[in-house]
Amino acid sequence: MEGARQIECYTIDDIYNLPDGQRAELIDGELFMMATPGRMHQRILMELSFKIRDYIGRKNGECEVYPAPFAVFLNADDKIYLEPDISVICDKDKLIDEGCKGAPDWIIEIVSPSSRSMDYNKKLFKYRTADVREYWIVDPMNLRVTVYNFEHDMFEEYSFSDKVKAGIYEDLEIDFSGVNIE
């Protein structure tokens, strides 16, 4: 069709060829540039990562916790590359030097103004269809935690004053009233 715009299809090679310090994610060949996360985002990321890692360590668990930047290759093709804020991987066969090949068991995304649409829409669909077991969207602007337990086809919403139970573990609860967002 004359005048139609040709959409460029990017690959993982394009991610690796970005200038130093520039980060992006790739979904179905479309490149999405990532903004540098703010201080509150990083504080929440560190607190949640520590709480999960501490729990796994106390239980002598097999799963591993990786905060961003950590590459997740959901598909076998070169058209998807994501860097979830927190990835929990229990199948060590999925771990490669470059990141995780396949779906992590649990993913947490911390919403920032520039990631809202990606976290609530594109990533939700991709994680669900890739067999991620559980996906949390932590939204500090709205003081809300949305939990998708894909294994049991459940969806729940919590506030930052609630204790949120992790579905992939029997007895892990994260008390969000103790998560410092100041």
Side-chain angles (χ1 to χ4, degrees), residues 34-85:
M34 298 172 69
T36 301
R39 185 179 59 83
M40 178 177 53
H41 178 281
Q42 292 303 95
R43 174 181 277 148
I44 294 169
L45 177 122
M46 292 305 294
E47 286 195 36
L48 294 178
S49 295
F50 178 78
K51 288 175 188 292
I52 297 165
R53 186 196 56 82
D54 186 53
Y55 170 84
I56 293 169
R58 283 193 326 269
K59 297 290 184 172
N60 296 313
E62 295 292 317
C63 302
E64 294 190 25
V65 181
Y66 292 93
F70 179 76
V72 171
F73 308 93
L74 285 179
N75 301 344
D77 64 26
D78 67 348
K79 304 280 189 282
I80 188 158
Y81 169 99
L82 298 169
E83 290 185 5
D85 289 316

Side-chain angles (χ1 to χ4, degrees), residues 147-165:
V147 174
Y148 294 92
N149 184 324
F150 299 133
E151 239 180 358
H152 298 105
D153 202 27
M154 292 172 51
F155 158 85
E156 295 179 283
E157 285 195 330
Y158 300 89
S159 75
F160 268 43
S161 61
D162 293 327
K163 290 181 180 175
V164 182
K165 184 180 178 329

Side-chain angles (χ1 to χ4, degrees), residues 8 13 25 41 57 114 167:
E8 190 162 352
D13 286 340
E25 292 180 306
H41 178 281
S114 63

Side-chain angles (χ1 to χ4, degrees), residues 15-34:
I15 293 285
Y16 289 132
N17 289 320
L18 289 171
D20 285 344
Q22 193 169 18
R23 291 175 50 216
E25 292 180 306
L26 181 68
I27 297 179
D28 299 329
E30 188 175 352
L31 204 58
F32 297 91
M33 303 313 288
M34 298 172 69

